[in-house]
Structures are given as structure tokens and as C-alpha cells.
Amino acid sequence: MAKLGPSGYSPYPVAMYEDILTPPPGKALLFNEIVDEEIAMREAAKAMLTRENPTIFPGPQVLYAWNEEAKEKARLVRKIAETLGAKIIPMYDYRPKYPKIDPEKEINPNHPNLTIWHNNIKACIFIGVHCHYANVALKIIRAETDCFTIAMCGNAGHEDAMITLRDQHTEELEKFIRVAEEVKKELGK
């Protein structure tokens, strides 16, 4: 018997239907397992350093200088991109971009799979995207692409990302940069 409701339309169930929930404070989610934050950071760095076309999708919370933390996070996102050799494709706002968007210049939150397919992105980081939009975009990416997704969330995290790091503020982003630099050396890059 087919599932009733919206979940019945997706060939892949959303994470919550698989009993995957966001991690508790101080922990991270690595696929369906709760792990120490540093373990997840290492795996995130490894994915971004070893997969094709790593890309960071920063959202309005870091793109706009609305407070001092946002300004510092934006600087750190650039440093993360440099460390990982990643492109940056911003998600400026959440309005649908119809009839056409330029997927090399921005990501459409309503169809993130189009940007991922067009750019052949195999690993990405969402950061500074409001949670309700990140949740929808990550569900679409999970069901429609083979992209390795990483959510660096300022709040509780996102269960549909392959790795979710919660409570990510400037101190945690600085830690991620240090971890990524270590992993990069270990990989000989």
C-alpha cells in the first residue's frame, strides 16, 4: 500500500520518517549517528576536500551585514572556502526565480537541485540559510541528487543533511577552519 500524503510522492523518505533527529547541544549528526562535533567536522572537511566541485551556499544571515556576528561569519565563510578550495554560490533571498535563474550565480531555494545538477556539485555546505528554507532545500537535494550535504546551522541543525553541525557561531567556524587545515595536510593537499 502506498504512503498517503506528501511523503508518498518522494522515492526517498525524509530523515524524520527514518527516526533521524537533530543532535543534542555539543554533538553533531553524521548520517544517522550522533557523534562528537570534531568527528563530524573532520568528515565534513574530508568530503569537501575529496569530492568534485565543493561549494558553499551562504544565506542572508551571513550575506548581509546586519550585525557584527554576521560580518565576522561572512569573513570566516570566505576563509573556509579558501581552505577547502570551494566555490561560493549565494542564496541572496528566498523568492522563486522564475522563469529562469542563472545557476552559476545563485541557488534557487525552491529548486536547489537545478543549481547542483548544472554545476555538478558533489559536496556542499549550507550556512546562514534560515532554517525553514534550509530544511526544504536539503530535503529536495537528498531526494534528487548525489550531493554530499553539510549543514552548519546557528540553531539546532538539520536532520536531512548528511552532516549537521549545530550552534555554529564564530568560535565554531574558527574551529572548523583549524580542523579543515589539519585534514587538508593529512590528505596531502
Side-chain angles (χ1 to χ4, degrees):
M1 186 170 140
K3 282 186 184 176
L4 299 178
S7 65
Y9 294 114
S10 177
Y12 304 99
V14 296
M16 191 174 286
Y17 287 167
E18 295 178 347
D19 294 326
I20 300 169
L21 302 174
T22 57
K27 297 290 184 179
L29 188 63
L30 175 60
F31 296 105
N32 61 348
E33 196 176 324
I34 306 266
V35 298
D36 289 331
E37 182 181 73
E38 190 163 332
I39 291 169
M41 285 182 172
R42 292 183 66 73
E43 291 301 317
K46 191 186 304 180
M48 292 292 284
L49 288 163
T50 60
R51 294 174 187 259
E52 225 178 312
N53 299 320
T55 303
I56 298 174
F57 297 123
Q61 294 180 1
V62 297
L63 289 173
Y64 300 114
W66 60 281
N67 67 19
E68 290 305 313
E69 184 182 20
K71 290 178 190 177
E72 183 60 14
K73 277 186 168 182
R75 188 187 67 73
L76 292 169
V77 166
R78 287 191 67 150
K79 176 74 171 147
I80 291 169
E82 289 169 14
T83 302
L84 298 172
K87 292 186 295 187
I88 295 176
I89 298 178
M91 189 184 293
Y92 291 107
D93 63 38
Y94 304 129
R95 292 173 288 182
K97 311 297 190 289
Y98 297 111
K100 185 174 184 320
I101 66 158
D102 184 347
E104 293 180 8
K105 292 184 181 170
E106 68 180 313
I107 181 171
N108 183 342
N110 302 288
H111 296 288
N113 52 318
L114 301 178
T115 300
I116 287 170
W117 289 335
H118 177 82
N119 294 289
N120 196 31
I121 297 167
K122 300 299 181 188
C124 72
I125 295 175
F126 271 62
I127 184 167
V129 178
H130 290 88
C131 290
H132 52 292
Y133 279 98
N135 282 340
V136 170
L138 288 164
K139 282 172 180 38
I140 293 168
I141 294 167
R142 174 185 170 105
E144 300 292 331
T145 76
D146 61 353
C147 182
F148 192 100
T149 54
I150 301 153
M152 297 181 90
C153 181
N155 297 306
H158 304 282
E159 67 274 359
D160 280 296
M162 293 175 179
I163 294 177
T164 191
L165 298 160
R166 65 170 291 157
D167 303 315
Q168 298 296 292
H169 302 288
T170 54
E171 186 178 309
E172 290 79 14
L173 296 182
E174 289 167 347
K175 178 181 176 183
F176 180 75
I177 291 167
R178 289 191 301 275
V179 168
E181 287 169 345
E182 288 173 16
V183 171
K184 191 174 183 177
K185 280 183 189 169
E186 290 169 9
L187 294 172
K189 294 192 174 238

